[in-house]
PDB file of all heavy atoms in Angstrom:
ATOM      1  N   GLY A1293      99.275 103.547  81.553  1.00 45.00           N
ATOM      2  CA  GLY A1293      99.664 102.964  80.283  1.00 45.00           C
ATOM      3  C   GLY A1293     100.466 101.640  80.312  1.00 45.00           C
ATOM      4  O   GLY A1293     100.709 101.100  79.243  1.00 45.00           O
ATOM      5  N   ILE A1294     100.688 101.060  81.456  1.00 47.00           N
ATOM      6  CA  ILE A1294     101.447  99.953  81.514  1.00 47.00           C
ATOM      7  C   ILE A1294     100.635  98.671  81.195  1.00 47.00           C
ATOM      8  O   ILE A1294     101.036  97.661  80.634  1.00 47.00           O
ATOM      9  CB  ILE A1294     102.247  99.705  82.848  1.00 47.00           C
ATOM     10  CG1 ILE A1294     103.301  98.686  82.679  1.00 47.00           C
ATOM     11  CG2 ILE A1294     101.191  99.237  83.981  1.00 47.00           C
ATOM     12  CD1 ILE A1294     104.291  98.678  83.698  1.00 47.00           C
ATOM     13  N   HIS A1295      99.267  98.722  81.316  1.00 47.00           N
ATOM     14  CA  HIS A1295      98.362  97.634  81.074  1.00 47.00           C
ATOM     15  C   HIS A1295      97.775  97.923  79.783  1.00 47.00           C
ATOM     16  O   HIS A1295      96.858  98.697  79.654  1.00 47.00           O
ATOM     17  CB  HIS A1295      97.303  97.493  82.195  1.00 47.00           C
ATOM     18  CG  HIS A1295      97.911  97.323  83.615  1.00 47.00           C
ATOM     19  ND1 HIS A1295      98.659  96.192  83.903  1.00 47.00           N
ATOM     20  CD2 HIS A1295      98.087  98.223  84.635  1.00 47.00           C
ATOM     21  CE1 HIS A1295      99.167  96.396  85.147  1.00 47.00           C
ATOM     22  NE2 HIS A1295      98.857  97.497  85.548  1.00 47.00           N
ATOM     23  N   ARG A1296      98.232  97.034  78.780  1.00 47.00           N
ATOM     24  CA  ARG A1296      97.664  97.215  77.422  1.00 47.00           C
ATOM     25  C   ARG A1296      96.167  96.960  77.364  1.00 47.00           C
ATOM     26  O   ARG A1296      95.701  95.900  77.774  1.00 47.00           O
ATOM     27  CB  ARG A1296      98.366  96.317  76.459  1.00 47.00           C
ATOM     28  CG  ARG A1296      99.786  96.599  76.299  1.00 47.00           C
ATOM     29  CD  ARG A1296     100.491  95.608  75.487  1.00 47.00           C
ATOM     30  NE  ARG A1296     100.500  94.334  76.204  1.00 47.00           N
ATOM     31  CZ  ARG A1296     100.968  93.196  75.889  1.00 47.00           C
ATOM     32  NH1 ARG A1296     101.473  93.073  74.745  1.00 47.00           N
ATOM     33  NH2 ARG A1296     101.016  92.138  76.779  1.00 47.00           N
ATOM     34  N   GLY A1297      95.348  97.858  76.825  1.00 46.00           N
ATOM     35  CA  GLY A1297      93.947  97.687  76.642  1.00 46.00           C
ATOM     36  C   GLY A1297      93.109  97.633  77.773  1.00 46.00           C
ATOM     37  O   GLY A1297      91.903  97.380  77.769  1.00 46.00           O
ATOM     38  N   CYS A1298      93.590  98.087  78.937  1.00 48.00           N
ATOM     39  CA  CYS A1298      92.753  97.988  80.176  1.00 48.00           C
ATOM     40  C   CYS A1298      91.661  99.072  80.224  1.00 48.00           C
ATOM     41  O   CYS A1298      90.725  98.969  80.960  1.00 48.00           O
ATOM     42  CB  CYS A1298      93.562  98.090  81.451  1.00 48.00           C
ATOM     43  SG  CYS A1298      94.391  99.739  81.566  1.00 48.00           S
ATOM     44  N   MET A1299      91.704 100.008  79.359  1.00 47.00           N
ATOM     45  CA  MET A1299      90.690 101.050  79.399  1.00 47.00           C
ATOM     46  C   MET A1299      89.681 100.855  78.287  1.00 47.00           C
ATOM     47  O   MET A1299      88.777 101.561  78.091  1.00 47.00           O
ATOM     48  CB  MET A1299      91.344 102.447  79.218  1.00 47.00           C
ATOM     49  CG  MET A1299      92.225 102.818  80.336  1.00 47.00           C
ATOM     50  SD  MET A1299      91.460 102.746  81.943  1.00 47.00           S
ATOM     51  CE  MET A1299      90.364 104.201  81.835  1.00 47.00           C
ATOM     52  N   LYS A1300      89.821  99.747  77.447  1.00 47.00           N
ATOM     53  CA  LYS A1300      88.728  99.500  76.393  1.00 47.00           C
ATOM     54  C   LYS A1300      87.418  99.131  76.936  1.00 47.00           C
ATOM     55  O   LYS A1300      87.360  98.263  77.896  1.00 47.00           O
ATOM     56  CB  LYS A1300      89.372  98.323  75.534  1.00 47.00           C
ATOM     57  CG  LYS A1300      90.447  98.702  74.729  1.00 47.00           C
ATOM     58  CD  LYS A1300      90.911  97.478  73.877  1.00 47.00           C
ATOM     59  CE  LYS A1300      92.179  97.768  73.227  1.00 47.00           C
ATOM     60  NZ  LYS A1300      92.669  96.477  72.462  1.00 47.00           N
ATOM     61  N   PRO A1301      86.396  99.629  76.597  1.00 49.00           N
ATOM     62  CA  PRO A1301      85.001  99.296  77.116  1.00 49.00           C
ATOM     63  C   PRO A1301      84.756  97.704  76.946  1.00 49.00           C
ATOM     64  O   PRO A1301      84.132  97.172  77.729  1.00 49.00           O
ATOM     65  CB  PRO A1301      84.051 100.073  76.295  1.00 49.00           C
ATOM     66  CG  PRO A1301      84.930 101.135  75.665  1.00 49.00           C
ATOM     67  CD  PRO A1301      86.279 100.699  75.603  1.00 49.00           C
ATOM     68  N   GLU A1302      85.166  97.132  75.860  1.00 53.00           N
ATOM     69  CA  GLU A1302      84.849  95.787  75.717  1.00 53.00           C
ATOM     70  C   GLU A1302      85.582  94.849  76.690  1.00 53.00           C
ATOM     71  O   GLU A1302      85.218  93.635  76.889  1.00 53.00           O
ATOM     72  CB  GLU A1302      85.176  95.246  74.265  1.00 53.00           C
ATOM     73  CG  GLU A1302      86.643  95.297  73.932  1.00 53.00           C
ATOM     74  CD  GLU A1302      87.062  96.668  73.284  1.00 53.00           C
ATOM     75  OE1 GLU A1302      86.324  97.605  73.277  1.00 53.00           O
ATOM     76  OE2 GLU A1302      88.181  96.758  72.700  1.00 53.00           O
ATOM     77  N   ASN A1303      86.629  95.409  77.396  1.00 52.00           N
ATOM     78  CA  ASN A1303      87.320  94.565  78.427  1.00 52.00           C
ATOM     79  C   ASN A1303      86.785  94.825  79.852  1.00 52.00           C
ATOM     80  O   ASN A1303      87.192  94.269  80.757  1.00 52.00           O
ATOM     81  CB  ASN A1303      88.802  94.990  78.463  1.00 52.00           C
ATOM     82  CG  ASN A1303      89.477  94.495  77.245  1.00 52.00           C
ATOM     83  OD1 ASN A1303      89.001  93.515  76.542  1.00 52.00           O
ATOM     84  ND2 ASN A1303      90.623  95.015  76.957  1.00 52.00           N
ATOM     85  N   SER A1304      85.725  95.698  79.981  1.00 52.00           N
ATOM     86  CA  SER A1304      85.205  95.968  81.287  1.00 52.00           C
ATOM     87  C   SER A1304      84.512  94.739  81.799  1.00 52.00           C
ATOM     88  O   SER A1304      83.842  93.986  81.177  1.00 52.00           O
ATOM     89  CB  SER A1304      84.281  97.214  81.248  1.00 52.00           C
ATOM     90  OG  SER A1304      83.216  96.961  80.433  1.00 52.00           O
ATOM     91  N   ARG A1305      84.658  94.570  83.140  1.00 52.00           N
ATOM     92  CA  ARG A1305      83.999  93.522  83.843  1.00 52.00           C
ATOM     93  C   ARG A1305      83.199  93.948  85.037  1.00 52.00           C
ATOM     94  O   ARG A1305      83.480  95.071  85.545  1.00 52.00           O
ATOM     95  CB  ARG A1305      85.021  92.438  84.381  1.00 52.00           C
ATOM     96  CG  ARG A1305      85.871  91.833  83.213  1.00 52.00           C
ATOM     97  CD  ARG A1305      86.791  90.898  83.789  1.00 52.00           C
ATOM     98  NE  ARG A1305      87.642  90.213  82.797  1.00 52.00           N
ATOM     99  CZ  ARG A1305      88.911  90.545  82.450  1.00 52.00           C
ATOM    100  NH1 ARG A1305      89.446  91.583  83.071  1.00 52.00           N
ATOM    101  NH2 ARG A1305      89.611  89.933  81.503  1.00 52.00           N
ATOM    102  N   SER A1306      82.399  93.148  85.401  1.00 56.00           N
ATOM    103  CA  SER A1306      81.566  93.484  86.605  1.00 56.00           C
ATOM    104  C   SER A1306      82.534  93.340  87.757  1.00 56.00           C
ATOM    105  O   SER A1306      83.318  92.524  87.883  1.00 56.00           O
ATOM    106  CB  SER A1306      80.427  92.520  86.793  1.00 56.00           C
ATOM    107  OG  SER A1306      79.770  92.590  87.949  1.00 56.00           O
ATOM    108  N   TYR A1307      82.274  94.281  88.823  1.00 57.00           N
ATOM    109  CA  TYR A1307      83.126  94.161  89.986  1.00 57.00           C
ATOM    110  C   TYR A1307      82.777  92.909  90.859  1.00 57.00           C
ATOM    111  O   TYR A1307      83.568  92.593  91.786  1.00 57.00           O
ATOM    112  CB  TYR A1307      83.083  95.484  90.790  1.00 57.00           C
ATOM    113  CG  TYR A1307      83.711  96.579  90.156  1.00 57.00           C
ATOM    114  CD1 TYR A1307      83.025  97.651  89.680  1.00 57.00           C
ATOM    115  CD2 TYR A1307      85.026  96.595  90.169  1.00 57.00           C
ATOM    116  CE1 TYR A1307      83.675  98.685  89.054  1.00 57.00           C
ATOM    117  CE2 TYR A1307      85.796  97.581  89.523  1.00 57.00           C
ATOM    118  CZ  TYR A1307      85.112  98.702  88.936  1.00 57.00           C
ATOM    119  OH  TYR A1307      85.690  99.766  88.388  1.00 57.00           O
ATOM    120  N   ASP A1308      81.668  92.270  90.699  1.00 61.00           N
ATOM    121  CA  ASP A1308      81.297  91.165  91.500  1.00 61.00           C
ATOM    122  C   ASP A1308      81.669  89.832  90.919  1.00 61.00           C
ATOM    123  O   ASP A1308      81.343  88.873  91.497  1.00 61.00           O
ATOM    124  CB  ASP A1308      79.871  91.197  91.863  1.00 61.00           C
ATOM    125  CG  ASP A1308      78.989  91.148  90.529  1.00 61.00           C
ATOM    126  OD1 ASP A1308      79.441  91.212  89.494  1.00 61.00           O
ATOM    127  OD2 ASP A1308      77.778  90.896  90.765  1.00 61.00           O
ATOM    128  N   SER A1309      82.417  89.780  89.761  1.00 69.00           N
ATOM    129  CA  SER A1309      82.833  88.576  89.112  1.00 69.00           C
ATOM    130  C   SER A1309      84.332  88.749  88.918  1.00 69.00           C
ATOM    131  O   SER A1309      84.888  89.762  88.677  1.00 69.00           O
ATOM    132  CB  SER A1309      82.128  88.236  87.862  1.00 69.00           C
ATOM    133  OG  SER A1309      82.464  89.212  86.852  1.00 69.00           O
ATOM    134  N   ARG A1310      85.008  87.554  88.988  1.00 74.00           N
ATOM    135  CA  ARG A1310      86.531  87.528  88.746  1.00 74.00           C
ATOM    136  C   ARG A1310      86.729  87.005  87.361  1.00 74.00           C
ATOM    137  O   ARG A1310      86.094  85.919  86.953  1.00 74.00           O
ATOM    138  CB  ARG A1310      87.234  86.674  89.785  1.00 74.00           C
ATOM    139  CG  ARG A1310      87.133  87.172  91.212  1.00 74.00           C
ATOM    140  CD  ARG A1310      87.846  86.224  92.118  1.00 74.00           C
ATOM    141  NE  ARG A1310      87.731  86.742  93.480  1.00 74.00           N
ATOM    142  CZ  ARG A1310      88.413  86.171  94.466  1.00 74.00           C
ATOM    143  NH1 ARG A1310      89.102  85.120  94.298  1.00 74.00           N
ATOM    144  NH2 ARG A1310      88.343  86.776  95.655  1.00 74.00           N
ATOM    145  N   PRO A1311      87.758  87.564  86.696  1.00 78.00           N
ATOM    146  CA  PRO A1311      88.025  86.850  85.311  1.00 78.00           C
ATOM    147  C   PRO A1311      88.693  85.505  85.545  1.00 78.00           C
ATOM    148  O   PRO A1311      89.221  85.291  86.544  1.00 78.00           O
ATOM    149  CB  PRO A1311      89.118  87.930  84.759  1.00 78.00           C
ATOM    150  CG  PRO A1311      89.648  88.554  85.993  1.00 78.00           C
ATOM    151  CD  PRO A1311      88.596  88.659  86.988  1.00 78.00           C
ATOM    152  N   VAL A1312      88.486  84.738  84.504  1.00 84.00           N
ATOM    153  CA  VAL A1312      89.163  83.351  84.538  1.00 84.00           C
ATOM    154  C   VAL A1312      90.307  83.367  83.596  1.00 84.00           C
ATOM    155  O   VAL A1312      90.221  83.524  82.442  1.00 84.00           O
ATOM    156  CB  VAL A1312      88.148  82.294  84.131  1.00 84.00           C
ATOM    157  CG1 VAL A1312      88.752  80.956  84.083  1.00 84.00           C
ATOM    158  CG2 VAL A1312      86.799  82.244  84.939  1.00 84.00           C
ATOM    159  N   LEU A1313      91.505  83.305  84.258  1.00 88.00           N
ATOM    160  CA  LEU A1313      92.786  83.367  83.489  1.00 88.00           C
ATOM    161  C   LEU A1313      93.476  82.055  83.798  1.00 88.00           C
ATOM    162  O   LEU A1313      93.590  81.568  84.896  1.00 88.00           O
ATOM    163  CB  LEU A1313      93.636  84.624  84.043  1.00 88.00           C
ATOM    164  CG  LEU A1313      92.910  86.025  83.804  1.00 88.00           C
ATOM    165  CD1 LEU A1313      93.759  87.019  84.390  1.00 88.00           C
ATOM    166  CD2 LEU A1313      92.656  86.167  82.296  1.00 88.00           C
ATOM    167  N   PRO A1314      94.108  81.578  82.688  1.00 88.00           N
ATOM    168  CA  PRO A1314      94.688  80.081  82.808  1.00 88.00           C
ATOM    169  C   PRO A1314      96.022  80.133  83.537  1.00 88.00           C
ATOM    170  O   PRO A1314      96.418  79.044  84.028  1.00 88.00           O
ATOM    171  CB  PRO A1314      94.878  79.840  81.323  1.00 88.00           C
ATOM    172  CG  PRO A1314      95.107  81.149  80.657  1.00 88.00           C
ATOM    173  CD  PRO A1314      94.211  82.071  81.375  1.00 88.00           C
ATOM    174  N   GLU A1315      96.784  81.066  83.682  1.00 91.00           N
ATOM    175  CA  GLU A1315      98.004  81.039  84.247  1.00 91.00           C
ATOM    176  C   GLU A1315      98.107  81.776  85.667  1.00 91.00           C
ATOM    177  O   GLU A1315      97.321  82.879  85.834  1.00 91.00           O
ATOM    178  CB  GLU A1315      99.157  81.777  83.324  1.00 91.00           C
ATOM    179  CG  GLU A1315      99.269  81.258  81.961  1.00 91.00           C
ATOM    180  CD  GLU A1315      99.712  79.792  81.961  1.00 91.00           C
ATOM    181  OE1 GLU A1315     100.545  79.360  82.768  1.00 91.00           O
ATOM    182  OE2 GLU A1315      99.386  79.053  80.942  1.00 91.00           O
ATOM    183  N   THR A1316      98.841  81.240  86.607  1.00 92.00           N
ATOM    184  CA  THR A1316      98.950  81.892  87.965  1.00 92.00           C
ATOM    185  C   THR A1316     100.444  81.865  88.351  1.00 92.00           C
ATOM    186  O   THR A1316     101.202  80.939  87.905  1.00 92.00           O
ATOM    187  CB  THR A1316      98.215  81.220  89.055  1.00 92.00           C
ATOM    188  OG1 THR A1316      98.571  79.838  89.173  1.00 92.00           O
ATOM    189  CG2 THR A1316      96.695  81.224  88.684  1.00 92.00           C
ATOM    190  N   TYR A1317     100.903  82.773  89.292  1.00 95.00           N
ATOM    191  CA  TYR A1317     102.141  82.853  89.771  1.00 95.00           C
ATOM    192  C   TYR A1317     101.980  83.272  91.213  1.00 95.00           C
ATOM    193  O   TYR A1317     101.314  84.314  91.451  1.00 95.00           O
ATOM    194  CB  TYR A1317     102.980  83.763  89.064  1.00 95.00           C
ATOM    195  CG  TYR A1317     104.341  84.125  89.682  1.00 95.00           C
ATOM    196  CD1 TYR A1317     105.354  83.267  89.765  1.00 95.00           C
ATOM    197  CD2 TYR A1317     104.556  85.342  90.229  1.00 95.00           C
ATOM    198  CE1 TYR A1317     106.611  83.563  90.367  1.00 95.00           C
ATOM    199  CE2 TYR A1317     105.765  85.614  90.903  1.00 95.00           C
ATOM    200  CZ  TYR A1317     106.717  84.819  90.879  1.00 95.00           C
ATOM    201  OH  TYR A1317     107.960  85.042  91.441  1.00 95.00           O
ATOM    202  N   THR A1318     102.552  82.609  92.196  1.00 95.00           N
ATOM    203  CA  THR A1318     102.503  83.004  93.626  1.00 95.00           C
ATOM    204  C   THR A1318     103.799  83.857  93.895  1.00 95.00           C
ATOM    205  O   THR A1318     104.936  83.506  93.567  1.00 95.00           O
ATOM    206  CB  THR A1318     102.582  81.726  94.583  1.00 95.00           C
ATOM    207  OG1 THR A1318     101.450  80.929  94.179  1.00 95.00           O
ATOM    208  CG2 THR A1318     102.466  82.179  95.983  1.00 95.00           C
ATOM    209  N   SER A1319     103.644  85.013  94.472  1.00 96.00           N
ATOM    210  CA  SER A1319     104.671  85.895  94.783  1.00 96.00           C
ATOM    211  C   SER A1319     105.629  85.188  95.716  1.00 96.00           C
ATOM    212  O   SER A1319     105.219  84.262  96.432  1.00 96.00           O
ATOM    213  CB  SER A1319     104.171  87.233  95.421  1.00 96.00           C
ATOM    214  OG  SER A1319     103.743  86.982  96.755  1.00 96.00           O
TER     215      SER A1319
END
């Protein structure tokens, strides 16, 4: 439950592609 919307079918992605997200943070 910590990830909002992660179980919605419209958010599903193929495992062979990475999402393109605009922000990054290095640990």
Side-chain angles (χ1 to χ4, degrees):
I1294 198 163
H1295 304 290
R1296 294 174 293 180
C1298 67
M1299 297 306 289
K1300 294 179 185 176
E1302 64 269 14
N1303 290 342
S1304 63
R1305 296 182 180 99
S1306 169
Y1307 286 111
D1308 60 352
S1309 67
R1310 295 180 179 187
V1312 177
L1313 300 172
E1315 305 291 333
T1316 60
Y1317 169 74
T1318 302
S1319 69

